[in-house]
Amino acid sequence: MSVEALFNPRSIALVGATDKSGWSVSTLLNLRTHGFSGPVHLVNPRGGVVHGSPAFRSLSEIPSPVDLAYVMVPTAAVLGVLKEGAKLGIGCYVILTAGFGEAGAEGARLEAEIAGFARENGLTILGPNGNGYINAAADVTPYGLPIPEPLLRGSVGVVLQSGALASSVLGFAQARNVGVSLLTSMGNESVVTVTDVVDYLVDDPATRVIALFLETIRNPAEFSRVARRALLAGKPIVALKIGRSRLASRTAQAHTGALVGDDDVIDAAMRQLGVIRVRSLEDLIITSGLLAATGPLPGRRVGVVTPSGGASEIIADRAEDEGLELPPFSAATVETLAGIVPSFGTVQNPLDVTGYVLVDRTLLGRALETVTADPGIDLVMLLSEPPRIAPADPAPVLAMYEASARRIAESPVPVVVVSNVLTDVTEFGRQVQRETGFPYVMGGIEHGLTALGAAVRWSEAHRRALTGAGPAGRAAVGGASWVASGGAPEGAHGVWAEHRAAALLAAAGLPVVPSETAADEAAAVAAAERFGYPVVLKAAAEGLGHKSDIGGVRLGLSGPEEVRQAYREVVAAARAHAPDAGVLVQPQRGGGIELLAGVVRDPAWGLTLAVGLGGVWVEVLRDAALRVLPVDAGEVRRALSELRGAALLDGARGTEPADLDAVADVVAGIAAFAESLGDDLESLEINPLLVTGSRVEALDALITWRPPPS
């Protein structure tokens, strides 16, 4: 839905205006004091004088066209206002009134009635139960709460699913000197949704960054669409999504379900879409402010210039947390800095130019110039901040900051500025930044490094999106394409244990350890001798999931007698749970690294891949990375690099390193095959997926099908 007209009206009617309502008072005051140049009509059913001006008794009495109706009438009267407005050709509405879906069944019925009327008549409605919006870029402020002064106009678009937090977000943005282009309180989203507003902001020339406060993602497919648009357009989305509690697993049969919680999937989806997820309102604004100031950053090699040794150590620790690199300076840079930094200082990265900056006011700037010229640095972090208190003669202060601003503007690499701690930017500080061009200052080392790490990761995702390296392709397995199944096999239901699941995977061209079913001891011995010893015996039965838990697995069998004994034990253990259980014989595989590759269906986001360390320790270690499908091999490689146990794949402690390209190809093939099985698939899990050098092989598999609709 287009919201262009909603956010850019030329005339506004306040319906339900009254001197008794603080909402009404604030909305009119905001429009009058923040630059709205069009007419504002007051509507009150009693007419008379409201807020010192004559009021109309209805929308129909207004003699000129109305572009936007701001509705503050009682809940039961809202639909009547919409019906009157629709007859008059009014297409856009903000409904402040509460008492709808958030208030119970009757409210939900009224809201559904409003939404239905809006659809039938092509109306654009923000709300109900929302404060309205502040279009600072266009000086349109139909907003029901007081707007903190001064209203800073800038390039951050803010979309909130919480009206109560809007004023706090606006106040903190002001305190950090971050200007907004648009701020909107969504209310119940009965018609206009978050994704509609994000769509608008992606195309809005006044907006460079989009900041979201999300209680829920109502439509994951639409969210994914607009997030991809924003990433390609180079407009970062920074999101604070609340509700991180872990819910029960999707399916009791697969280990994968225990690894995939609701919030884990949202995390994975946002990472893939290039959405920066933050954990606090402070980080929401500080990170948005940084990216609005810098745009994409060229790399993660950071040079640091500070006047504090203690700050240097904090920065070094936090940079490592964020995956930022602090490379040594080049020999030429070290030589030049040695002539600048006092003899009692140490030339290294991070660079502490020492407290001598209080004696030599040019020291910090000269050091900054040198570090920005280092060829091994992608960007520079400068520890500084605007002054807080105006001196009697501000001219020397302004001159000093103007010189610093000029150096930063002329730097060959981006320079980001961070203060020691999170404090408000004072009015004098804003004046200095405004008059000298001194750049945006991130508030505090902790929040600043969080923002910088996020900005670097977003920049990498943006570059991948521009080069087409996103999850668009399909994987090849072992140099040959896997075979699409064309949907679930006929009659697929319940749990398919290994003998059926592995056969389905093998038929699709995925690498599976060879196996044979054995109807008796003699058949088991014959199969073992064909494979060659040692072998493995496993229970095989419909619906039998974790075989090792019931004693249904025997490993390392080295001769016929051991196979016969194992056959009897496995059958006895398995038939206590499944009377028709048989036995599966496989060659024993040793060495290598055991991974898990599983796909489970999330009710909101669809099929989700978990890849991580596998075997019997999967739920204990919980070392897995998630991706929402589809994925390609490149995305799987990135997922593998996120594992805490990633060093095992690189050949830790003298073990054979894994061929990560081969692993990524196979896992991407498994994911693509799972997608091809259609909507009947609940989960598909391979555990373990054994990796030995370039050989990647499924040793066990489990498939769970969704029950038919009741």
Side-chain angles (χ1 to χ4, degrees), residues 283-300:
D283 285 330
L284 180 69
I285 296 303
I286 292 170
T287 306
S288 298
L290 171 65
L291 280 160
T294 66
L297 295 171
R300 55 178 61 224

Side-chain angles (χ1 to χ4, degrees), residues 16 60 96 154 495 624 648 676:
S60 302
L96 175 79
V495 177
L648 294 173
S676 78

Side-chain angles (χ1 to χ4, degrees), residues 198-229:
V198 173
D199 244 344
Y200 169 82
L201 293 173
V202 171
D203 296 325
D204 177 26
T207 299
R208 296 188 67 187
V209 178
I210 301 164
L212 307 179
F213 176 87
L214 300 173
E215 294 173 340
T216 185
I217 297 175
R218 300 181 191 277
N219 188 327
E222 270 296 288
F223 184 85
S224 299
R225 181 188 65 79
V226 297
R228 291 190 186 98
R229 281 196 69 218

